[in-house]
Amino acid sequence: MTNIAVIGAGSVGLSVCASLIERGHQVHLYDPRAPGEGASFGNAGMIANYVTDPLASMATLRSLPRELTRADASLSIDPRYALPLMGFGRRFLSAATPTRFARNKADLLSLIKNSVTAQHALLDTLDAPTLFADSGCLQIVRNDASAAQGIEQAAANKRRDGLDCRALTAEEVRELEPELAAKGLEGALYFPATRHLKNPLAVTRTLYQCLVSQGLHFHRAEVTQLSAQRDGGWQLSVNYPDIDSADAGSGKAHVEQVQVDQVVLCAGMVNNRLLKALNIKLPVVSERGYHIRLETPVALTRPVGWLAHHFYATPMEGGVRMAGTTEFKTANALPDERRWEQLRQWGGELFGQPVTLGESWFGVRHSTPDGLPAIGELAEHQGLYLAYGHGHLGLTLSAHTGQLIADMVDGNELPQYAANLSPDRFTGSKR
């Protein structure tokens, strides 16, 4: 039995724990917050089977100037974040070339197909069918005649990628979702097989409770440093809050040194800090997203994506959640409240009525320049595995990420695309 530390208790970290425990390993999970309370809390709840193209593409580059300069831009880049983005941007340009794009797309297609299957299977094991729905999703076109003319071709492209996708007229869209405003609606892509979560936090909590019953050890504590040991294994410096002392609640803590055989880093942007102390730098950057929950009651059956503005409106427990947008900015900067207001305005346009907010949230995604996650063992650091850089696909890829990590730990045969997910593609190290 291998003693493994998993750092980060989001959907990826929990899924890694699930696969490792299933293989018989002893797993200790570390996070200063309760499971699922990071970026996994605020996502759009989509098991994104419809994603078939990496973001790094010539099409993205052509659209970038307009996306950055439009008055209601859903994409922004903070100039103060320019330095961390330099290496990211150079690699993004390289990944967008036709040859690299074609290779990355082939890898992404296989990754998404296996990930959706794995995520559905994991959700089914929770025996909580009320927490998700298989009602499909829509990607609508509004106020864009040129995009409307391309709906049929876009649907054909998705079918060529192996998806069940149908082009719908505005009238057909309204038959499925009568609450959508008719004004400006020009059609949509319909993906009938898409699953979505009704309560992402409840899903992660349910998974966590299942794992605890199977032997998971959770430590609500912060790992501040990793050190490789000469005789193998790793030492963790773990910052535990002194909740049982007379100073409980004072912010005081004590540090313990913990020995483990192997480590899996699933902590998003926190990984960069831990890796920096090991002289490892990966071009994984902070890509922040926002969501609002509508107080206004809206009878929506399935998620509706308005991709021109990079968000989805998803029916969840407690109301419709509008989640998305992209903000390249340092992870710890204060939220931009204008983004919540912009989402509210788009919600009013989407549903043809004024809407009010019941909740607002923002969180930090962790994104790679080629649009593929960094999953695997670092060549020069035996027993140190990375599982991050999932961008907008953390929930979708989480279960299969866990399977891949467990296969790597056990030395099992891997799918061909797993080699191209290795973090060593950014470090230049080779096995």
Side-chain angles (χ1 to χ4, degrees):
M1 178 185 294
T2 305
N3 185 22
I4 302 176
V6 176
I7 301 174
S11 58
V12 172
L14 289 170
S15 296
V16 169
C17 291
S19 290
L20 291 172
I21 289 173
E22 184 181 20
R23 310 290 179 88
H25 299 288
Q26 184 178 48
V27 182
H28 291 260
L29 176 63
Y30 295 86
D31 198 306
R33 292 187 287 189
E37 290 190 353
S40 297
F41 167 82
N43 58 50
M46 310 286 290
I47 312 301
N49 64 323
Y50 48 80
V51 174
T52 60
D53 290 320
L55 186 60
S57 67
M58 299 307 296
T60 298
L61 291 175
R62 285 192 292 269
S63 67
L64 199 56
R66 179 176 180 272
E67 290 296 325
L68 289 171
T69 56
R70 57 191 294 176
D72 59 349
S74 56
L75 168 65
S76 68
I77 299 175
D78 187 344
R80 291 166 294 184
Y81 199 51
L83 187 59
L85 284 174
M86 289 182 63
F88 178 93
R90 176 174 53 81
R91 291 178 181 273
F92 188 97
L93 291 172
S94 176
T97 60
T99 300
R100 286 287 306 280
F101 172 80
R103 191 190 78 176
N104 290 340
K105 173 166 182 167
D107 291 336
L108 181 64
L109 286 172
S110 298
L111 178 62
I112 288 289
K113 180 180 178 180
N114 289 338
S115 293
V116 170
T117 299
Q119 191 62 38
H120 283 198
L122 180 60
L123 288 170
D124 291 341
T125 66
L126 300 181
D127 194 26
T130 60
L131 293 179
F132 58 85
D134 293 303
S135 52
C137 78
L138 293 166
Q139 295 177 352
I140 64 168
V141 174
R142 296 181 57 85
N143 306 317
D144 189 337
S146 61
Q149 292 173 0
I151 291 178
E152 288 285 356
Q153 184 58 54
N157 292 341
K158 291 295 183 181
R159 289 193 295 271
R160 188 164 52 247
D161 288 337
L163 292 176
D164 182 0
C165 180
R166 309 167 196 174
L168 302 184
T169 65
E171 292 74 17
E172 290 171 328
V173 173
R174 292 261 298 162
E175 287 177 7
L176 289 177
E177 298 294 348
E179 292 265 13
L180 294 178
K183 183 179 179 181
L185 182 62
E186 301 192 60
L189 297 179
Y190 176 43
F191 300 90
T194 301
R195 174 178 289 188
H196 76 274
L197 307 186
K198 297 180 181 180
N199 187 330
L201 182 58
V203 169
T204 54
R205 285 176 171 171
T206 302
L207 175 57
Y208 167 68
Q209 292 298 332
C210 289
L211 295 175
V212 169
S213 70
Q214 296 169 17
L216 174 67
H217 304 275
F218 176 60
H219 306 264
R220 190 160 181 176
E222 180 185 13
V223 176
T224 59
Q225 189 173 358
L226 307 172
S227 303
Q229 302 301 285
R230 290 183 178 180
D231 56 350
W234 290 81
Q235 178 174 282
L236 312 182
S237 295
V238 184
N239 195 353
Y240 285 90
D242 277 333
I243 58 176
D244 296 325
S245 73
D247 294 318
S250 68
K252 293 185 177 181
H254 69 279
V255 176
E256 294 184 7
Q257 304 302 319
V258 178
Q259 309 295 321
V260 296
D261 299 316
Q262 298 178 332
V263 178
V264 188
L265 296 183
C266 309
M269 294 305 297
V270 172
N271 289 355
N272 283 1
R273 174 175 54 79
L274 294 171
L275 292 171
K276 183 178 180 180
L278 299 173
N279 295 316
I280 302 168
K281 184 177 181 181
L282 271 64
V284 179
V285 299
S286 165
E287 185 198 340
R288 301 167 11 141
Y290 290 70
H291 92 219
I292 61 174
R293 177 177 57 82
L294 300 185
E295 188 73 23
T296 306
V298 178
L300 202 63
T301 301
R302 55 187 57 77
V304 175
W306 190 353
L307 299 193
H309 294 309
H310 304 284
F311 76 84
Y312 271 91
T314 304
M316 292 190 179
E317 294 178 2
V320 170
R321 174 182 292 185
M322 296 179 56
T325 75
T326 296
E327 181 184 51
F328 289 100
K329 196 171 188 177
T330 185
N332 58 5
L334 293 174
D336 184 347
E337 296 185 6
R338 295 172 298 179
R339 288 188 165 267
W340 291 321
E341 173 59 21
Q342 183 65 77
L343 282 168
R344 188 192 66 79
Q345 292 179 17
W346 286 331
E349 188 175 351
L350 184 67
F351 298 112
Q353 60 174 308
V355 295
T356 57
L357 307 189
E359 173 186 89
S360 56
W361 175 93
F362 91 105
V364 182
R365 309 181 190 102
H366 34 100
S367 298
T368 64
D370 58 14
L372 298 172
I375 302 173
E377 185 180 29
L378 287 161
E380 298 180 3
H381 296 80
Q382 185 176 1
L384 179 59
Y385 297 84
L386 304 186
Y388 80 132
H390 294 74
H392 296 249
L393 299 173
L395 172 62
T396 301
L397 303 183
S398 58
H400 189 44
T401 296
Q403 293 174 338
L404 290 172
I405 290 292
D407 282 334
M408 292 172 187
V409 168
D410 290 347
N412 296 336
E413 184 177 355
L414 297 170
Q416 184 176 1
Y417 57 83
N420 293 330
L421 304 180
S422 169
D424 290 327
R425 72 187 190 271
F426 297 127
T427 66
S429 299
K430 295 182 179 180
R431 294 189 179 277

